[in-house]
Amino acid sequence: MIKRTLGMAALVLACAGAMAAWPAGNAQAAEASVKCDLVYNLSGWSLLYKHAEGSGTITCDNGQSADVKIAVVGGGLTAGKYHIDHGKGEISKVHGIADVYGDYVQAGAEAGVVKSGTVQVLTKGTTSLALSGTGEGVNLGVSVGKFTIRKH
């Protein structure tokens, strides 16, 4: 079961990588040199449909910062309930904080009981968001979805 789940996760991640490589203004990406960090809390559930909500703070190396709301929706072969406290994210290839807001493509595999963990790389055009976090809950499966960051 776990081997099958990890195989499906690899396929999902490969598809997400192909979507990220879609042409979207390579000249603009070369100029985007601001890096932003996200600290977040998130809780959610999944049973074929995945839903989670949370909040966080974004701080950029150009001095900009903002409080944000986070929403995750999607679907796949998933089941569970979880929360992540003090998760961290690194957002790269942006011109400023305004480029951070919007929808990111999410694909991942989750596995955990009691202590739950996640590591994911998401994309929005040429912008990438690397997330990591630990928490508690039970979750198992493979999912594809949307990770949205919006102003608080």
Side-chain angles (χ1 to χ4, degrees), residues 5 10-11 32 34 44 64 70 79 102-103 122 140-141:
T5 301
L11 178 62
V34 174
Q64 296 175 311
I70 299 168
D103 299 333
L122 299 83
L140 177 65

Side-chain angles (χ1 to χ4, degrees), residues 37-94:
D37 293 314
L38 168 67
V39 176
Y40 68 96
N41 297 316
L42 186 68
S43 62
W45 55 267
S46 65
L47 181 59
L48 299 180
Y49 176 80
K50 182 177 185 177
H51 177 82
E53 293 181 347
S55 61
T57 302
I58 294 178
T59 307
C60 300
D61 62 8
N62 66 357
Q64 296 175 311
S65 65
D67 291 331
V68 296
K69 289 191 175 210
I70 299 168
V72 178
V73 294
L77 303 173
T78 64
K81 184 175 180 180
Y82 55 91
H83 69 88
I84 296 172
D85 297 320
H86 309 294
K88 297 185 187 305
E90 185 176 301
I91 305 164
S92 57
K93 297 187 180 177
V94 296

